[in-house]
Each structure stands twice: as C-alpha cells, then as structure tokens.
Amino acid sequence: MRPEYVKKIEQAKLQRKENKSFFDRLKKKRPHDLDRTTNDLHDLAFEQIDCLQCANCCRTTGPLLRGKDIDNLAGHFRIRPADFTEKYLRIDEDKDYVFKSMPCPFLGGDNYCSVYSDRPGACRDYPHTQQRDIRQKQDITFENTLICTAVSEVVKGLKKTYEKK
C-alpha cells in the first residue's frame, strides 16, 4: 500500500472519535442533499485514489456472500456451488457465508482481483459512498473510514460541507 494511503488510514484511526461525533450530528441534521454531496465527493476521491495501489478492503474485510454470489463464483471456476462453499467459505456468527480467511483468496500480488467480473455484490458495491440512501449507510461509512482511503477523503469533504452549515 502506498505510504500516503497508510497515512490516511492512520489519520482516520486518530480521528475515530471526532468522526463518530460528526456522524451523530449529521444524523440529527438530516441534510436533504446528503446523497448528491456524498456521491460527488466519492467521484472526487476516486479521481485521486487508485484502488490497485491499496486493496486494503480486499486484505482486511471479507464480503458477505449471498447465494447468487456463490453461484457466480462457482460458475467462474466451473465447480459446483457446494464444492466452492466447502473450499472457500465458512458460516460466521451471524449465519452468513464469508471467506474462510483473509486476505481475499482471489486477490493477486498485484492487487488485481482474479474473479473481478464475477466478484460478489458486496465487493461491487464497496465502499457504498456512491449509492443512494447514504443516511442509512452512515454507520458503515464511519467504519469504512478505517479501511478505505477514499472513504476517509469523502468523510473529510462531508465534514467541510456540513460543519459550516
């Protein structure tokens, strides 16, 4: 991971309490333009952040895999879903399928995903700052500041935008 990305994650960890307070205040404000603002900040962040130079999400955070995800990945490898499940997955404490171990078994040394076209929906949607109904995703956005450098940039922008209002 690039040193500047490591620094952003470390900074987010130091700002954990501050960011938590910010999100608590933001929930009370309920800004009408939160989705648009967050989406715009997402686009700006990803103009600066190169996921292939980071891949911290793939190293540290396993996705929840749904039936469709398992079927797609099994098809990718041309094996039965049951065989895919046995080889790669476990059931977690919430009774969800997750990878047996991290980093993701499909993350290459070059940070490319070997199953990119068939990756799980949770991977496709990550880091969730480009979606609608951001208000409902504030808790996960807060947590993702500790994982994703782009999310920490989005939150920095949100703070600049909404703390002055």
Side-chain angles (χ1 to χ4, degrees), residues 89-138:
L89 305 179
R90 67 178 177 82
I91 297 176
D92 71 3
E93 59 280 353
D94 296 324
K95 307 285 187 241
D96 294 318
Y97 282 106
V98 296
F99 289 125
K100 285 182 180 178
S101 63
M102 295 304 295
C104 175
F106 310 118
L107 179 66
D110 57 1
N111 288 340
Y112 277 87
C113 174
S114 65
V115 297
Y116 190 78
S117 62
D118 294 309
R119 69 194 183 280
C123 299
R124 289 179 190 280
D125 293 343
Y126 194 83
H128 312 289
T129 51
Q130 74 285 18
Q131 298 172 350
R132 294 183 6 210
D133 299 322
I134 296 297
R135 182 175 292 116
Q136 295 174 346
K137 297 174 181 78
Q138 286 182 19

Side-chain angles (χ1 to χ4, degrees), residues 75-92:
H76 180 90
F77 292 107
R78 295 185 170 97
I79 60 176
R80 294 179 322 134
D83 294 336
F84 177 85
T85 300
E86 184 179 328
K87 183 173 183 177
Y88 294 106
L89 305 179
R90 67 178 177 82
I91 297 176
D92 71 3

Side-chain angles (χ1 to χ4, degrees), residues 2 7 16 19 24 35 40 47-48 56 60 64 88 97 104 109-112 117 120 122 125 130 138 143 156 159 163:
R2 284 184 171 178
K7 187 175 179 179
R16 184 178 174 94
N19 287 341
D24 289 344
D35 284 352
D40 290 347
E47 288 174 10
Q48 301 168 358
N56 194 43
T60 63
L64 179 147
Y88 294 106
Y97 282 106
C104 175
D110 57 1
N111 288 340
Y112 277 87
S117 62
D125 293 343
Q130 74 285 18
Q138 286 182 19
E143 292 299 328
K156 188 187 307 181
K159 287 162 65 175
E163 287 191 335

